[in-house]
Amino acid sequence: MSRYVISGYYGFGNAGDEAILQAIIDSLQSHDSGADITVFSAQPSKTALEHQVRAVHRTSFAQIVAALRQADLFISGGGGLLQDATSNRSLLYYLGLLTLARGLGCKTMVYANSIGPIKRTCNKRLACYVLEKTDFITVRDQLSLNLLAELGVHKPQIQLTADPALLLPSPVVAPEERVIALAVREWPSQHDFLMEIAIAGRRLVQDGFSILLIPFHFARDLAVSQRLAQEIGAGASCLMQAQSFDDLVIGLARSEVVVAMRLHALIMGAVCNRPLIGISYDPKIEGFLQSVGQPIAGSTADLQADHLYELVLAAYNQRVEVRSNLAEQLVKLRQYADKNAIIATSLAGGERA
């Protein structure tokens, strides 16, 4: 039995991050049946109950140190943790935990991360310094692998894997005809990308499609999803109550095409084998879509309604072929995703993967 401590953006009500956590737990337990797991969470009681693991508060220094002193492996991830686009504080927090774990004699692994963007020179240097001392790094997209090389991170073993959530099961649900799932979020931009989405949405509704807005991070995405549904008008609806992750995925599975800004709406759309169209606000969106050969309509800085509309029509008209190609890609990606836990359990057991 090995002891694992996991740190990430957990306990904040983000369905995508909770999916990552569950997938990591399931994967570790599948390769180490006696895995003893502790999670750093913003809501430890909720995390412990939902995921059936130990949990301590992510800002309780005493509890963090106590957990790390007993751990065989500290896991940072998964997700897009190592970036300074949202704040300096977030990057410093996760790098600080890696440093603390190392100082307490714990092996460390960056697990299926998207790295970057890291914009500030001082942050790039700090990230390189900390990551060079990490025992193993896995990243979930090629862009992150490239950025590590640019940062000068060479000493630890580094592998390209895939997002752990790809290992989660898909609901057996048939798609409903001409339904499009749409998962958006707020993002600062001088370009009114939400209006472009609304314009494309209105044209699709005129063509006989229905649009279901799915707030993937309910607390943050509900208002913008409601607003967008109102802008599109009749033919668009929005999930108005907080849903379990399984129910969110069922919503994706009931659609014929998934259009999303939220990464894990795209990932779970892929798990459900639905054609995907991404709208990028972060390189991780492009990184994932490249890995599954699915298109990006544009970014929050340049999205155009006409292009989005045409991509949705093309995805719908070619959905049988797209689903066949996507299924082939998923087989490979799930094998890559499983490598994360194989490496982690090997490290925790005292071996090099």
Side-chain angles (χ1 to χ4, degrees):
M1 179 184 78
S2 294
R3 290 163 294 188
Y4 305 84
V5 170
I6 305 173
S7 167
Y9 191 69
Y10 304 131
F12 289 97
N14 185 320
D17 288 292
E18 297 306 317
I20 289 174
L21 177 58
Q22 190 58 58
I24 293 174
I25 292 167
D26 291 347
S27 297
L28 291 175
Q29 290 175 340
S30 73
H31 292 284
D32 180 355
S33 59
D36 184 322
I37 299 170
T38 300
V39 176
F40 296 163
S41 169
Q43 298 184 74
S45 298
K46 189 169 186 286
T47 296
L49 180 64
E50 290 182 355
H51 297 284
Q52 295 297 294
V53 292
R54 291 191 182 89
V56 302
H57 201 281
R58 72 196 307 269
T59 61
S60 172
F61 185 74
Q63 292 181 327
I64 287 170
V65 169
L68 291 173
R69 284 191 188 281
Q70 298 179 30
D72 297 301
L73 179 66
F74 172 67
I75 291 172
S76 180
L81 306 180
L82 301 178
Q83 49 81 24
D84 61 7
T86 54
S87 73
N88 254 357
R89 185 171 59 183
S90 175
L91 178 67
L92 296 177
Y93 172 79
Y94 293 114
L95 292 177
L97 286 178
L98 282 165
T99 303
L100 178 62
R102 188 82 176 166
L104 293 171
C106 188
K107 288 185 179 178
T108 56
M109 177 179 176
V110 172
Y111 190 113
N113 268 222
S114 287
I115 310 294
I118 302 176
K119 300 177 180 179
R120 298 169 180 85
T121 301
C122 59
N123 288 343
K124 290 179 180 179
R125 290 174 180 163
L126 181 62
C128 178
Y129 177 80
V130 174
L131 293 175
E132 278 280 273
K133 298 179 183 299
T134 302
D135 289 291
F136 211 113
I137 299 172
T138 62
V139 293
R140 62 187 181 183
D141 55 67
Q142 183 65 44
L143 294 174
S144 297
L145 202 62
N146 297 343
L147 181 55
L148 286 174
E150 290 174 20
L151 290 173
V153 180
H154 303 296
K155 287 181 182 177
Q157 291 192 56
I158 303 172
Q159 277 195 29
L160 176 63
T161 57
D163 194 288
L166 288 161
L167 295 170
L168 293 172
S170 170
V172 183
V173 177
E176 296 178 7
E177 190 168 348
R178 301 183 80 82
V179 171
I180 297 165
L182 179 57
V184 297
R185 62 165 296 164
E186 295 276 15
W187 194 256
S189 176
Q190 294 182 339
H191 177 63
D192 194 351
F193 67 91
L194 290 170
M195 182 53 67
E196 298 295 326
I197 297 173
I199 293 168
R202 286 196 288 266
R203 290 183 65 185
L204 290 164
V205 166
Q206 289 170 0
D207 289 345
F209 289 94
S210 298
I211 298 175
L212 176 63
L213 276 293
I214 302 178
F216 237 66
H217 190 329
F218 189 78
R220 294 189 178 182
D221 297 348
L222 178 61
V224 65
S225 298
Q226 286 178 299
R227 212 163 57 239
L228 192 52
Q230 291 169 356
E231 287 284 350
I232 295 171
S237 59
C238 176
L239 296 178
M240 299 297 291
Q241 295 183 333
Q243 308 282 313
S244 70
F245 181 76
D246 289 346
D247 288 337
L248 292 175
V249 176
I250 287 171
L252 297 174
R254 284 179 173 155
S255 69
E256 303 238 51
V257 178
V258 174
V259 180
M261 293 176 66
R262 285 290 184 187
L263 175 62
H264 281 88
L266 292 167
I267 287 175
M268 295 314 297
V271 169
C272 295
N273 198 21
R274 301 294 181 261
L276 311 173
I277 297 166
I279 299 168
S280 180
Y281 70 96
D282 184 283
K284 65 187 179 183
I285 304 297
E286 299 157 51
F288 174 69
L289 289 170
Q290 285 176 9
S291 73
V292 290
Q294 298 290 286
I296 297 175
S299 72
T300 53
D302 60 16
L303 181 69
Q304 296 298 315
D306 287 348
H307 187 50
L308 176 58
Y309 169 78
E310 289 164 3
L311 282 177
V312 173
L313 282 187
Y316 175 75
N317 290 331
Q318 300 166 23
R319 62 194 182 279
V320 174
E321 180 184 349
V322 171
R323 290 180 67 177
S324 176
N325 293 337
L326 191 55
E328 292 179 13
Q329 295 295 327
L330 279 174
V331 172
K332 299 175 186 175
L333 285 176
R334 284 178 173 137
Q335 291 173 347
Y336 283 130
D338 195 44
K339 286 183 180 179
N340 294 303
I342 293 171
I343 292 165
T345 52
S346 177
L347 280 173
E351 303 171 11
R352 295 298 292 179

